[in-house]
Amino acid sequence: MLEDSRALEVVGISAFDERIYRGVLACPGITVQELVMRSGEGAGRIQASLSRLRAKGLVSRLWGRSPRWTVTNPGTAIRSLVRGLQSELDQLTDTADELEAAFRTVGQDPEEGGQFEVLAGPEEQARWYVRLQQEAKEEVLTFDCPPYVLDYHNPLQTDLLRSGVRYRTIYVPEAFDHAGALDEVGSLIKAGEEARVLPRLPFKMAIVDRWRAVMPMHMDPPLTRGVLISGSTMVVALVELFERLWREALPVRPELWQDAPATQKPADAADLAGGERVEAEPLDGGPEATELGTEDRRLLALLAAGLKDDAIARQLGTSPRSLRRRLRHLLDQLNAETRFQAGAQASRRDLV
């Protein structure tokens, strides 16, 4: 007979019972004694196996002077077992939801004070970050800023966005420094992420479903220790902090910067500081302010994202020196002291 197989174990058929089943399948009308001879097993053990297979609808007994055994239609029988298993899994899922609700109720008891777990090492922090996202049902709130635990890239986010999980992320400008960052954030926004930017954040964190938060215990690289917080007033406070900073942050506008030509010839200082466009664009909020050219809108959008000069120059295909002259003009026209303020002014006055 065939060696023990475990293909049917998922529907509750042991390896031994599957071997007996395959023996009956190969020889319809086989007797217990023939199975004993083929398998070398005792008659009692084989008879017990046949009874279990019969109870699951896989074999049937042919009555006669010497009882013989045959299999029922394997496709029909096994699919019936799968449907039964699926029903049990659905019930188990419902039970898990009920137990989770009870767990959260207990966890939020003020006398318990929530749960805190120290995460030692970047791998443990990364593992929990992945796990919390996989468990997310409604929303993930994130402060995104360097340094990163393992990698800035989040391979789960796009699929979770498509499945209906809402992502809201506040970035700092330094989060866009690495190669390809702007394109990646733009792709995430197209997939559904809501992204805003602030010049600085107090720390980095991720909050899932307003119930659990994971965050490093310090911001000095490497991030060797983190903390997992569940169901406490601390999570409530972190959500409130996120919402307050979210209201202060500026929207990220990739639809403006992603159209910038990748190989544009760098402009010289005269083109950027004294040309026709600069003189024809008073940025004082008047009617002419809405007639900004595409390139100027890209520049202001990148300013609003808080990017540094070199990063903006690379994105626009111009030289850092020429860009600085043009930025100086925009700062003066917007009555702003910093580049981020210029971007904020432009965003609030609907210039971008």
Side-chain angles (χ1 to χ4, degrees), residues 125 141-152 170 175 201-207 213-220 223 227 238:
Q125 295 176 65
L141 310 176
T142 305
F143 284 168
D144 190 308
C145 59
Y148 295 97
V149 174
L150 294 178
D151 187 5
Y152 66 86
I170 302 178
L201 289 170
F203 44 77
K204 61 191 297 107
M205 69 171 181
I207 305 173
V214 61
M215 57 191 299
M217 298 180 69
H218 59 83
M219 290 295 288
D220 298 321
L223 302 178
V227 62
L238 291 174

Side-chain angles (χ1 to χ4, degrees), residues 40 228 286:
L228 174 70

Side-chain angles (χ1 to χ4, degrees), residues 11 55-58 72-88:
V11 288
K56 288 185 176 292
L58 291 173
T72 60
N73 185 300
T76 302
I78 294 174
R79 289 189 185 95
S80 177
L81 292 176
V82 171
R83 285 193 295 271
L85 177 62
Q86 184 61 55
S87 177
E88 293 177 2

